[in-house]
Amino acid sequence: MRHRRIGGAAALVAATLALTACASDADEGTAPAAGSSAAASVKEPVTVTYDGGIYVLDGEALKVAHNITLPGFNRVNPAGNDTGVFVSTESGFQVLDAAAGTMTDVSYPGAKPGHVVRHGDRTILFTDGTGEVHSFDPKKLTDGKPEGRTYKTAQPHHGVAVELGDGTLVVTLGTEESRPGAIALDKDGKEIARSEECPGVHGEAVAQGEVVGLGCTDGVLLFKNGAFVKVKSAGAYGAVATQAGSEKSPVLLGEYKVEPDAEREFPEQFALIDTATNSLKVVPMPEGASYSFRSLGRGPKGEGLILGTDGKLHVIDPASGKLTNSWPVVGAWKEPLKWQEPRPALFVRGDDAYITEPATKTVHRLDLTTGTVAGSVTLDAIPNEISGTVSEH
């Protein structure tokens, strides 16, 4: 998930839960009209939000299979199984059965639903408006709302939580005004570690060996070997928020900002955080290119991926920081000032990278093994966020 907002909690403007779902085969690759008949179960579902609803694409054929009417600004994240996607609404998280194209009655109520984290055999939800954390086995979502672990922070805040394989829960500390760090709880809920050395804590990723990275305005806070370790930025302000991790690499890929007073910084560099050596390397983007918080991903071999404003998907060797490929996908673009507004966005699953192009109302599928665009689909509405089903095996 994936959300820059270093300066505080973002208000999630979303819709009522009076939902209608409709779909068609969309043979020509365009969005189906409301009221059309339901399509067959979707293969490798990809979900794309637009102002007023969510398209469900068949990820293999790259055709619109379902069009779900959902007024307002919607957010989507993988639920962690083969069929589900979490949709953030104004009243909480709700599960979309993307394969069937229907909203389910599985929900986690609460104001300002925030980060959705998948790690191992757990999916972890953090509700900003209540400070509630829910952790559960996502494979059980197909049978209804699963039993799972719950936790509530001392005060509500824009936060995040990660549960590790041994039951350790890493969860942020904060209030609506300040977010200073994180704590770790054992499987029984007992606090085992604490750090308040991460101002503006925001964003998470997990590296090889279950090392958790949390973004700070002055670097990254790692949780490894049962303790917190601070990795400082080069300067007093070197902000890392959105990160992307891979179990195949000890290096985290993170956005990196250096302008504390900017209304909207267009970063021209990114961070590589080596969790084995507790070090942070700042790497420049190709000349003239920046990126947004929806630009970061990891490839099937752990390679770093950044969708640049030059329209190219840049491939980075995380060990050396060297650029190994730059593949053209979309036209050149500029990040809007409001984080809710559409801009090209990246969703990676296996060997495929799905990339939106709002300027042409298009979604592209890029083959990460060849660097070529394997297919495209044109939508009736402007695409905004993109996600899909991702099952941990």
Side-chain angles (χ1 to χ4, degrees):
M1 326 189 216
R2 339 288 192 209
H3 321 291
R4 172 177 41 196
R5 282 160 288 169
I6 294 173
L12 296 176
V13 182
T16 67
L17 298 182
L19 310 171
T20 57
C22 46
S24 82
D25 290 331
D27 292 332
E28 299 302 318
T30 57
S36 52
S37 60
S41 182
V42 184
K43 295 179 180 178
E44 302 293 336
V46 173
T47 53
V48 180
T49 69
Y50 63 91
D51 185 9
I54 302 171
Y55 291 124
V56 179
L57 310 182
D58 183 308
E60 292 184 0
L62 206 63
K63 290 186 177 182
V64 177
H66 304 292
N67 181 7
I68 299 163
T69 301
L70 184 59
F73 175 70
N74 307 302
R75 311 208 73 189
V76 285
N77 287 282
N81 61 16
D82 293 328
T83 59
V85 170
F86 270 108
V87 181
S88 300
T89 75
E90 65 181 3
S91 57
F93 295 103
Q94 188 172 7
V95 176
L96 162 66
D97 183 336
T102 58
M103 297 294 289
T104 74
D105 59 2
V106 177
S107 64
Y108 291 81
K112 300 178 182 178
H115 282 269
V116 178
V117 174
R118 291 176 299 103
H119 177 66
D121 62 356
R122 309 297 285 179
T123 294
I124 307 97
L125 311 178
F126 192 101
T127 303
D128 293 351
T130 64
E132 291 178 319
V133 175
H134 295 276
S135 177
F136 49 85
D137 181 349
K139 291 182 176 59
K140 296 182 179 179
L141 285 170
T142 54
D143 299 322
K145 189 172 181 177
E147 292 186 6
R149 180 178 183 176
T150 61
Y151 174 78
K152 191 169 184 178
T153 60
Q155 295 190 58
H157 63 278
H158 178 57
V160 68
V162 183
E163 185 170 355
L164 304 181
D166 64 357
T168 299
L169 185 71
V170 179
V171 59
T172 52
L173 291 168
T175 66
E176 290 186 0
E177 291 75 33
S178 175
R179 303 191 305 278
I183 60 173
L185 310 170
D186 68 14
K187 60 183 177 60
D188 298 316
K190 179 183 177 182
E191 183 176 320
I192 56 174
R194 172 182 290 253
S195 173
E196 297 188 22
E197 294 184 88
C198 188
V201 61
H202 177 90
E204 55 67 41
V206 182
Q208 188 177 64
E210 284 203 311
V211 180
V212 179
L214 301 171
C216 319
T217 59
D218 62 353
V220 174
L221 184 66
L222 301 179
F223 182 78
K224 55 186 291 191
N225 301 323
F228 286 104
V229 179
K230 182 59 182 284
V231 180
K232 293 277 290 183
S233 299
Y237 185 89
V240 178
T242 302
Q243 299 168 71
S246 169
E247 63 181 13
K248 297 183 179 180
S249 172
V251 180
L252 299 172
L253 170 67
E255 63 178 348
Y256 193 80
K257 297 179 182 178
V258 295
E259 300 175 15
D261 300 321
E263 179 182 4
R264 169 67 68 216
E265 181 176 348
F266 306 105
E268 298 178 347
Q269 62 285 313
F270 57 90
L272 293 173
I273 304 98
D274 190 326
T275 65
T277 61
N278 303 334
S279 60
L280 186 153
K281 177 192 295 184
V282 178
V283 182
M285 286 288 290
E287 186 174 357
S290 62
Y291 59 93
S292 88
F293 73 99
R294 292 185 182 141
S295 293
L296 305 184
R298 300 299 288 262
K301 298 179 181 179
E303 62 270 37
L305 302 172
I306 301 181
L307 180 62
T309 55
D310 54 2
K312 297 177 182 179
L313 185 66
H314 300 285
V315 184
I316 299 113
D317 178 347
S320 66
K322 292 182 178 179
L323 199 69
T324 59
N325 278 299
S326 293
W327 296 319
V329 188
V330 300
W333 55 281
K334 184 176 181 179
E335 182 181 3
L337 289 178
K338 291 182 64 177
W339 70 267
Q340 297 96 332
E341 292 181 357
R343 82 291 308 279
L346 172 68
F347 168 62
V348 181
R349 183 174 57 199
D351 292 333
D352 293 315
Y354 296 90
I355 297 166
T356 64
E357 187 169 16
T360 59
K361 299 182 180 178
T362 304
V363 176
H364 307 282
R365 178 164 64 88
L366 183 78
D367 186 334
L368 292 172
T369 64
T370 63
T372 58
V373 175
S376 300
V377 58
T378 301
L379 309 173
D380 285 345
I382 297 171
N384 195 342
E385 292 203 349
I386 185 168
S387 188
T389 57
V390 177
S391 180
E392 300 289 349
H393 298 288

